[in-house]
Amino acid sequence: MKTYFLTLICLVVFMPLSYGQIKIWKTKKEKQQIHTPQWGVNDIIFKSKRKVNDPLKKEIYALVKGEGENTQKIPLFYNGNNEWVFRYSSAVEGVKTYVLTSELKEFEGKKGQITVTKNEKEGRHGGVVLHKDNPQHFFYEDGKHYFNMAFECDWLFALDYGKEDLPKTKHLLNVLEDYQFNQVVMNVYSYDVKWKKDPKLADFPEFEYGGREDIYPFLGSNSQPDFSTLNLEFFQHFDQVISEMHDKEIVSHLMIYVWNKMVNWPEMNSASDNLYYDYVIKRYQAFPNIIWDVSKEALLYGRATEEYINERIDRARNLDAYNRLISVHDFGFCKRNKEKVDFISMQNWQHTLYQNMLQARNDFKEKPVFNIEHGGYEESPFRVFPGAYINAEACLRRNYQCLFAGGYTTYYWQGASWNVVIHNPFEQPAHFKKPHFEYFKHMRTLFEHYNFENFVPLSHHNSSGFNLTNKKDGVVMMYTPKENQWIGVHKVLKKNFDYSKAQQQWFNTLTGEYSEKENYNTEPFDFWYERPWKGEADVILIISNLKSNSVN
């Protein structure tokens, strides 16, 4: 009874403030008692009583230990106002103790206790990790498969910059959540684009975010930078963006650098460059919804060397106490340095996309393959960056080609991917071309239901479509272009399954509709068989209720 009473008092005295999804604990006693659910993000604040010179350069770590666990060495970061932040989350329940090790004597030896309780937030599954028993797929920390349904929005950081609240950011994230996108490929910072801008944008300045001089991660501006220190207000705003994403279980695929968006970066390996890079790793590693990407198009623009990117990877791994996944937006680099990255990032625009994805999957059998940019940029009210494909159905087809090759994919809409961001597309006038986000909601719903992580592409059974086979659950899928009259599935069934009780059903990729289930049509060459939605939509033939009779 006495112990319970003391714990209650501590909770009352140290009840945290809220900052988005971050709980803030201000230390006032020698030993702090903190309670947090799994994957909750907590900021434990340590305030210096004196002014410290070069505070961003001070090395302070929290050594965190739970029963039966290895010690985590988590870096603190400086947040202004003589305050250092120990940002903490945990995937493991239990009581943890921490002690600070610091070059600032007043923080050295500070101790505390953190009690991590079971997660109670519906839909929260933790950070994205790899699984040794199924290495070509992504999983959450709790074991659930993570169906990587990504959406590019490079300028997400800019939507509400300088405002206390984030109405535009929240609105866009709500839309993405509604349509079941669960990852945003984004930059920490971008300045502007080099290509020609649509003249129509001049009449809609509210959608243009490129070229702003009031946003910069260093002091000064992009045009007149001051690399002597960082702009902490920039990162305090960015905290709110990442926190809102965490609340909605949307992963931030965070590209720390970008070379083709006119950013005035400090010299490579300079003190300012290292300060920026290290600070990003220190400040955001505790968020479970973080995946690191060293740089967008890392080696395409002549700024970075392979040695530099390798050093950045090592630098991140040495600082990141949470071992978040890391990759590089450069297929050539990933191919040559596969042991350095956790997954393979592709950027393939070619007409032979499916074959290229399939080849990559076969080449990298121990890692997921993620086509981060496949040249499909669905059209919007403004011509922002047309790339290779802009028709919505053509873009959707390329996404399905990535999936049916056993990889993961990314959706781009020209109204949100780059400097132009229409945060409320469905509230615009009727003549504004709306995005087909619903296509991707249907896609994710399909593959969540049928366990994408258990499928493998058996390309030798493709026939006139694309094959995915799931022996574990007894399901075969055949992706069928809308022009196809017939698709052959009999060979894959005959070789791998007892299909005597099989049922078949068709899935409309545009509407998400399913046809009625019926017994499998056992006539392998019935060319007169009329499939639904022919000429209207690409469809997927789903054969289920199969019993595996072989291992192939």
Side-chain angles (χ1 to χ4, degrees), residues 206-366:
E206 66 271 27
F207 301 135
E208 168 66 68
Y209 291 90
R212 286 180 57 172
E213 294 293 343
D214 61 323
I215 310 176
Y216 197 51
F218 296 92
L219 295 186
S221 65
N222 192 76
S223 298
Q224 295 183 311
D226 175 358
F227 294 132
S228 63
T229 192
L230 299 174
N231 177 5
L232 298 184
E233 290 183 1
F234 174 91
F235 293 99
Q236 289 160 2
H237 169 80
F238 203 65
D239 280 3
Q240 296 181 69
V241 176
I242 301 299
S243 179
E244 288 295 331
M245 296 174 69
H246 177 45
D247 181 41
K248 300 182 184 308
E249 301 305 311
I250 297 175
V251 167
S252 169
H253 181 122
L254 191 58
M255 297 182 288
I256 301 173
Y257 298 112
V258 56
W259 308 139
N260 69 335
K261 298 298 185 294
M262 302 175 68
V263 177
N264 201 338
W265 296 108
E267 290 296 319
M268 290 191 304
N269 291 314
S270 65
S272 298
D273 183 31
N274 294 340
L275 179 66
Y276 163 79
Y277 189 85
D278 291 353
Y279 193 76
V280 171
I281 302 297
K282 289 178 181 179
R283 187 156 189 144
Y284 297 104
Q285 62 181 266
F287 282 100
N289 61 320
I290 284 289
I291 290 175
W292 305 119
D293 194 322
V294 174
S295 176
K296 183 176 178 66
E297 297 166 340
L299 297 177
L300 292 183
Y301 291 90
R303 181 185 189 276
T305 64
E306 196 149 308
E307 292 74 20
Y308 176 73
I309 299 299
N310 269 304
E311 187 274 339
R312 297 290 103 170
I313 292 174
D314 292 338
R315 199 174 190 94
R317 292 200 190 278
N318 288 335
L319 268 177
D320 181 5
Y322 293 86
N323 300 314
R324 303 300 180 199
L325 298 187
I326 189 167
S327 191
V328 178
H329 188 295
D330 187 285
F331 186 45
F333 178 90
C334 289
K335 285 195 296 184
R336 294 186 296 272
N337 301 273
K338 63 180 180 180
E339 73 286 349
K340 299 284 288 195
V341 296
D342 292 312
F343 59 93
I344 304 299
S345 293
M346 290 185 69
Q347 187 180 6
N348 190 281
W349 288 28
Q350 295 178 343
H351 182 69
T352 54
L353 174 64
Y354 171 81
Q355 290 83 354
N356 297 335
M357 286 289 294
L358 188 67
Q359 185 63 54
R361 189 179 192 277
N362 291 334
D363 289 344
F364 305 102
K365 296 185 182 298
E366 299 303 316

Side-chain angles (χ1 to χ4, degrees), residues 11 15 28-29 34 73 139 167 171 216 220 239 257 279 281 286 295 314 324 341 375 384 407 419 424 442 445 485:
L11 280 172
M15 187 65 68
K28 295 182 180 178
K29 297 236 178 206
I34 292 171
K73 186 180 179 181
F139 292 86
H171 188 101
Y216 197 51
D239 280 3
Y257 298 112
Y279 193 76
I281 302 297
S295 176
D314 292 338
R324 303 300 180 199
V341 296
V384 183
N419 57 300
N424 53 352
H442 304 329
T445 300
Q485 161 71 28

